[in-house]
Amino acid sequence: MEYKKYYRKTSLKQKGVGSFFLAEISKKKPKNFLEIGVFHGVTARNVCELLFKIHGNDFNYIGLDLFEESDENKNEVIPNTTFSSNPIKNFYYKYIKRQNPYSLEAVKELLQKFNNNVHLIKGNSNKLLSKIDMSKIDYVFLDGGHEYNTVLNDLSCCSEVINNGGTVLCDDYDLQQAPGVRRAIDEFVKKNNFNCSIICSGRFAKIEKN
Ligand SMILES: C[S@@+](CC[C@H](N)C(=O)[O-])C[C@H]1O[C@@H](n2cnc3c(N)ncnc32)[C@H](O)[C@@H]1O
């Protein structure tokens, strides 16, 4: 399936990466998908379109994000949430839509077609992820905070998913500006004796049970 951008920003903008990502998910056909780090909701919408194609209405998507910039998360690597380098998109969101595409409301609107399947949570994964029931989640896309401690926390909270036979796909394994991602993944995999495949030319780390 082709990865669409919906006139917004996404991590998976590099040519071929979005389609690679969707092909990975297609292999597993998950029914209960968790994305940590939703940003503008572009990947969320693509995932929902894909899961709808596979399962009809019989799927769930849970998305967790800070959905705002504040002092509490100033150390996290958050992509530029505005369109400062694209005056047309900037004008569209500021004066026509009058909406911040990074807000919870904007992402809800982008996903409204799947209203009954989608559950969005606003907050910090370091505080909220441990409260999410992981027993039914069968696929996690981990793309939230990129600090070592945050990635380690997020992975630890997802151990149950892997132990139950599910998959955790981590973005930015090779991101040089965020070496904590790789460090946390390598330590977590070693400690738990999980299987980790580095795919998509080093970009994604796919963690599963051995
Ligand atoms: C790289 S973006 C996610 C991109 C998105 N997955 C996509 O495919 O377009 C990272 C997101 O994680 C969020 N984030 C950073 N630290 C977080 C934390 N501790 N808890 C929850 N979300 C966090 C940021 O607000 C940002 O929206």
Side-chain angles (χ1 to χ4, degrees):
M1 206 177 100
E2 189 203 343
Y3 184 91
K4 295 195 187 143
K5 293 190 188 143
Y6 298 98
Y7 214 60
R8 286 161 172 81
K9 282 188 164 184
T10 169
S11 278
L12 309 186
K13 58 181 179 291
Q14 216 181 316
K15 202 172 182 307
V17 172
S19 306
F20 181 99
F21 170 82
L22 292 176
E24 270 302 309
I25 294 170
S26 299
K27 285 186 207 164
K28 297 285 171 183
K29 300 183 175 44
K31 278 202 167 178
N32 296 293
F33 193 100
L34 168 65
E35 182 176 23
I36 303 163
V38 176
F39 196 44
H40 285 194
V42 175
T43 296
R45 174 71 185 263
N46 277 278
V47 166
C48 288
E49 293 285 354
L50 175 68
L51 298 185
F52 181 72
K53 217 169 147 188
I54 300 173
H55 300 297
N57 263 320
D58 190 17
F59 76 93
N60 294 296
Y61 167 93
I62 301 172
L64 168 67
D65 200 292
L66 301 162
F67 290 122
E68 69 178 1
E69 285 159 70
S70 76
D71 274 357
E72 193 199 339
N73 51 55
K74 63 179 186 302
N75 293 331
E76 288 292 5
V77 183
I78 299 175
N80 182 356
T81 57
T82 63
F83 293 103
S84 42
S85 59
N86 186 327
I88 297 175
K89 282 188 185 172
N90 203 24
F91 183 86
Y92 173 72
Y93 278 102
K94 209 165 170 185
Y95 298 107
I96 298 177
K97 280 231 43 100
R98 292 170 187 273
Q99 195 179 56
N100 175 359
Y102 173 55
S103 63
L104 180 65
E105 295 67 38
V107 175
K108 263 190 186 154
E109 195 185 304
L110 178 65
L111 302 177
Q112 70 187 2
K113 186 176 163 191
F114 302 106
N115 208 12
N116 294 332
N117 311 82
V118 167
H119 182 48
L120 292 173
I121 304 165
K122 178 175 169 156
N124 193 321
S125 64
N126 289 297
K127 292 184 184 155
L128 295 183
L129 203 54
S130 59
K131 298 189 170 70
I132 294 180
D133 177 8
M134 294 283 177
S135 63
K136 295 214 169 65
I137 305 284
D138 48 3
Y139 208 105
V140 178
F141 180 41
L142 179 52
D143 191 20
H146 285 46
E147 292 250 302
Y148 167 78
N149 284 320
T150 301
V151 180
L152 204 56
N153 166 75
D154 295 354
L155 286 168
S156 305
C157 292
C158 294
S159 296
E160 189 183 347
V161 175
I162 304 167
N163 281 320
N164 287 343
T167 303
V168 175
L169 187 71
C170 310
D171 195 17
D172 293 329
Y173 181 77
D174 62 352
L175 188 68
Q176 293 196 348
Q177 301 96 292
V181 173
R182 185 182 193 142
R183 200 176 126 218
I185 293 170
D186 288 348
E187 279 181 26
F188 173 77
V189 166
K190 195 169 174 201
K191 184 172 162 219
N192 292 284
N193 192 27
F194 287 143
N195 182 51
C196 181
S197 322
I198 307 305
I199 55 175
C200 197
S201 308
R203 171 154 190 160
F204 297 124
K206 181 166 72 170
I207 309 176
E208 291 172 325
K209 205 160 66 166
N210 251 321

